Amino acid sequence: MNIHEYQAKQLFKEFAIPAPQGAVATTPEQAQQAAQSLSTPAWVVKAQIHAGARGKAGGVKVARTLDEVKDYSAAMLGTRLVTHQTDAAGLPVNSVWVEEASAISQEYYLSLLLDRESERLIFIASAAGGMDIEAVAAETPEKIVRVPVHPAAGLQPYQCRQVAAALGLGKEQQSQLQTIMNGLYQLFLAKDASQIEINPLIQTDDGKLVALDGKINFDDNAIPLHPDIAAMRDASQEDAKEAEAKQFDLNYITLDGNIGCMVNGAGLAMATMDMVKLKGGAPANFLDVGGGTNKDKVKAAFKLILSDGTTKAVLVNIFGGIVKCDVIAAGILAAVEEMHLTIPVVVRLEGTNVEQGLAMLKDSGLGLYAAEDLNSAAEQAVKLAEGVA
Ligand code: GDP
Ligand code: MN
């Protein structure tokens, strides 16, 4: 899960990582008031979206007057910002962050992330900050330093000195960097982050290291442990379908075929997609409805599968292990009936009470295709999709 820059900066403050003073606003008037409450000669108005590269896209503006703060905010709020990190539709700007402008003498890059290869948290730093770090890595990899942290030993002072040396910092800034790196490390562990990025980390004209930007990504599996982080979720920034899927505890990914797949278990879902391909069809989605399937979940799943109108047939492939097949069949029937489905639905059930489940589907009069096995289910779904298309 991603959060906004202003939320990242709140967390930075909690962990002693210096960031500029500021306030969040959802209207131009609020933005102006926020600016007024900050004693500073200039402000920066920053569009809050879950993507970077806002600066080049007009989403970061330095304002010299309160009127400029209002004008820039008005120009950003209510629009969609397209950056080279978003898709062509961009992301909605529902809030702006107004902060005191900083006088920059140097821009650095600093991040902390989980490196699966070394199985450690790793600091990545570069004196070439403020720019696209992927480009730096590709063109001048020698400008990037990587410092893995041993999980038992934790972050060591010599490692902070190593990063400070790579950034060419003076003695004064070296100790500031140590505070920042310690803060990042504590924050990462305390909140189950998966990536924290400060780009740029700046040195101000008066020699202070400050996090000018902040991006934090959290491990989705750990979100239930952190209500404070969960409360920071902004669904408006997420893929609408995937956000809806999350609400119902469904794992959903859109694909470009025309056979909707509703399956329980990620492995079975993969096998089902393979089977559809083998029979000459193309899946419209990956969908794992999870173990405890019920009517509401099945309904939500059908809705997702049918929402973009490209699906010509649905293949339901469910193993009744945790939930019995007759209960699943009842859920499918209720969902199909309530939703008035008009496209063919092929159902393959296996597991406890499978005979009862199949009989319910056959006797329902809803025109469902109850398949004997996965092979014939996939074959039938592909044929039906072709027939409708
Ligand atoms: P991003 O483009 O989404 O990564 O947004 P950033 O927060 O990183 O801002 C982009 C760029 O705007 C920075 O690299 C800075 O060069 C510039 N910028 C942001 N805030 C300030 C500021 O307070 N003062 C000055 N002079 N430049 C700033
Ligand atoms: Mn940035």
Side-chain angles (χ1 to χ4, degrees):
M1 187 188 109
N2 288 315
I3 59 172
H4 288 294
E5 171 197 9
Y6 79 90
Q7 296 164 322
K9 283 177 170 171
Q10 275 167 18
L11 288 168
F12 286 171
K13 291 252 162 79
E14 278 179 43
F15 287 83
I17 300 163
Q21 294 293 336
V24 69
T26 54
T27 65
E29 293 71 30
Q30 250 180 34
Q32 200 175 30
Q33 279 161 19
Q36 213 154 12
S37 70
L38 299 165
S39 53
T40 170
W43 302 266
V44 186
V45 180
K46 309 182 78 174
Q48 297 300 289
I49 57 167
H50 284 188
R54 296 163 299 166
K56 285 186 189 126
V60 177
K61 294 278 188 193
V62 178
R64 312 261 162 220
T65 66
L66 288 170
D67 282 338
E68 275 183 13
V69 170
K70 197 173 167 184
D71 293 346
Y72 289 139
S73 303
M76 290 178 200
L77 286 164
T79 65
R80 294 182 77 92
L81 188 62
V82 180
T83 82
H84 76 75
Q85 290 185 13
T86 68
D87 60 17
L91 287 168
V93 183
N94 297 322
S95 59
V96 292
W97 168 247
V98 182
E99 71 179 17
E100 53 179 340
S102 306
I104 304 174
S105 85
Q106 284 289 334
E107 294 196 357
Y108 312 101
Y109 176 92
L110 179 65
S111 68
L112 177 60
L113 52 93
L114 176 65
D115 177 36
R116 292 178 192 277
E117 206 174 312
S118 61
E119 299 175 334
R120 290 183 184 187
L121 296 191
I122 183 167
F123 278 96
I124 296 178
S126 177
M131 4 187 165
D132 188 356
I133 194 68
E134 283 81 10
V136 178
E139 288 153 27
T140 48
E142 70 281 0
K143 286 190 181 161
I144 293 179
V145 61
R146 300 160 65 89
V147 178
V149 181
H150 191 284
L155 178 63
Q156 298 293 307
Y158 81 88
Q159 297 183 301
C160 300
R161 291 197 292 274
Q162 206 180 326
V163 173
L167 299 183
L169 299 184
K171 194 128 195 79
E172 179 73 16
Q173 287 71 37
Q174 184 179 303
S175 90
Q176 292 178 38
L177 182 72
Q178 188 167 335
T179 305
I180 292 171
M181 287 176 67
N182 271 315
L184 283 176
Y185 193 69
Q186 298 308 326
L187 166 56
F188 197 104
L189 295 180
K191 303 294 181 187
D192 286 307
S194 51
Q195 183 166 3
I196 309 179
E197 186 184 69
I198 303 177
N199 188 25
L201 173 72
I202 59 159
Q203 185 171 163
T204 60
D205 282 351
D206 52 359
K208 298 226 164 48
L209 291 187
V210 176
L212 203 67
D213 193 5
K215 298 236 170 329
I216 309 183
N217 187 265
F218 297 92
D219 181 345
D220 282 338
N221 295 307
I223 295 293
L225 301 174
H226 304 288
D228 56 334
I229 304 300
M232 293 181 177
R233 161 158 272 143
D234 181 353
S236 79
Q237 303 291 316
E238 298 173 1
D239 179 272
K241 269 188 172 184
E242 286 174 22
E244 195 181 331
K246 248 178 229 155
Q247 271 184 9
F248 288 91
D249 220 12
L250 303 165
N251 272 315
Y252 183 90
I253 295 163
T254 308
L255 299 170
D256 53 13
N258 62 4
I259 298 177
C261 300
M262 187 185 313
V263 190
N264 63 342
L268 190 58
M270 298 295 280
T272 306
M273 287 161 50
D274 281 350
M275 207 62 172
V276 167
K277 280 269 189 190
L278 188 69
K279 300 294 176 188
N285 67 283
F286 167 93
L287 172 61
D288 169 12
V289 295
T293 311
N294 58 34
K295 185 182 89 177
D296 288 339
K297 260 187 156 181
V298 173
K299 259 177 81 176
F302 270 124
K303 256 198 201 150
L304 281 170
I305 289 175
L306 301 175
S307 57
D308 56 10
T310 56
T311 303
K312 302 296 179 199
V314 178
L315 171 54
V316 180
N317 184 20
I318 289 185
F319 176 74
I322 298 169
V323 185
K324 296 185 181 75
C325 288
D326 52 326
V327 176
I328 294 166
I332 294 170
L333 291 174
V336 169
E337 197 164 17
E338 281 179 34
M339 295 186 66
H340 308 290
L341 286 197
T342 52
I343 62 168
V345 178
V346 181
V347 184
R348 183 252 177 168
L349 293 176
E350 193 53 83
T352 313
N353 291 355
V354 63
E355 290 82 10
Q356 285 134 276
L358 286 176
M360 286 166 69
L361 296 175
K362 279 182 188 144
D363 299 342
S364 69
L366 288 175
L368 296 173
Y369 298 82
E372 298 294 326
D373 53 33
L374 179 54
N375 192 55
S376 58
E379 215 164 76
Q380 194 156 29
V382 172
K383 268 194 206 136
L384 288 165
E386 277 168 4
V388 175

